Amino acid sequence: VFSYSCSHYAHFQPTVSAWKKKLPADVNFIYLPSVGQGSWERFARGFYAAESLKILTRSHEALFISIFEQNKLTPNASMDEIADFYVGFGANKKTFLDLMMSKAVSEKTAKSMQFTIRTGANSTPTVVVAGKYRVSATRDRGFEGMIKTIDFLVAKERAALRMKKPAAKAA
């Protein structure tokens, strides 16, 4: 769970990006934008619009850089400013703005909000493992400790799934 408006997550993004590259093929990592009020919702809508236009992979990290390193966008960016950012990735501004307000994107933002409420993921960054473990950074362990905890929980869940599979019959 993340927000483009969150400086803490912006600092976590390079760590999670490197970590994702090492994940086993059977582990599914999904970015989920936190939907709060104001810019958090606007950026979540931009995320889902970019996803539908298939420009999310190219634009995701670039948006953090644009806000927190280049200062081209502010964490409180308007819908127009967010759409302008995605124009740089090939989006048509009007189409993008229409997508941001579309029924499909509204449904996805509502589901995102429901997930964060249900799981208690009320801060960013938060990683929810197997829908039941909520992991956030702590002052003493930081992002490295967060990743170690996630790795532990992923290994635990993968082992539990292996135990549930029926044993192959002996030939």
Side-chain angles (χ1 to χ4, degrees), residues 56-126:
L56 185 60
T57 303
R58 294 184 291 125
S59 63
H60 182 70
E61 289 190 37
L63 187 48
F64 286 111
I65 292 167
S66 181
I67 296 169
F68 294 102
E69 292 178 25
Q70 298 170 339
N71 298 314
K72 291 181 179 178
L73 278 176
T74 69
N76 293 316
S78 69
M79 301 269 278
D80 276 346
E81 292 167 327
I82 293 168
D84 284 338
F85 168 81
Y86 287 104
V87 165
F89 290 88
N92 172 282
K93 184 173 181 176
K94 181 180 178 342
T95 301
F96 197 86
L97 286 167
D98 289 346
L99 269 172
M100 286 177 79
M101 298 310 298
S102 70
K103 181 179 179 190
V105 165
S106 293
E107 288 172 354
K108 287 181 178 186
T109 56
K111 284 181 182 179
S112 181
M113 182 177 278
Q114 291 165 0
F115 179 85
T116 58
I117 291 169
R118 181 173 40 85
T119 60
N122 56 6
S123 64
T124 64
T126 297

Side-chain angles (χ1 to χ4, degrees), residues 113-160:
M113 182 177 278
Q114 291 165 0
F115 179 85
T116 58
I117 291 169
R118 181 173 40 85
T119 60
N122 56 6
S123 64
T124 64
T126 297
V127 175
V128 178
V129 179
K132 57 187 172 183
Y133 302 105
R134 184 180 66 237
V135 183
S136 297
T138 60
R139 284 183 184 257
D140 60 328
R141 296 192 68 224
F143 295 144
E144 184 179 315
M146 184 178 175
I147 293 293
K148 285 180 181 178
T149 301
I150 295 164
D151 285 341
F152 169 80
L153 293 170
V154 166
K156 178 180 175 177
E157 286 300 305
R158 290 177 79 217

Side-chain angles (χ1 to χ4, degrees), residues 7-57:
S7 62
H8 299 293
Y9 193 91
H11 289 94
F12 182 57
Q13 180 58 42
T15 302
V16 80
S17 184
W19 171 78
K20 275 181 49 181
K21 293 175 185 173
K22 300 174 190 172
L23 288 176
D26 65 333
V27 175
N28 188 21
F29 180 87
I30 300 168
Y31 286 107
L32 186 81
S34 182
V35 181
Q37 295 180 348
S39 66
W40 286 53
E41 180 179 351
R42 292 190 296 271
F43 278 114
R45 287 179 174 280
F47 173 90
Y48 288 122
E51 180 182 64
S52 71
L53 292 175
K54 301 191 183 342
I55 58 174
L56 185 60
T57 303

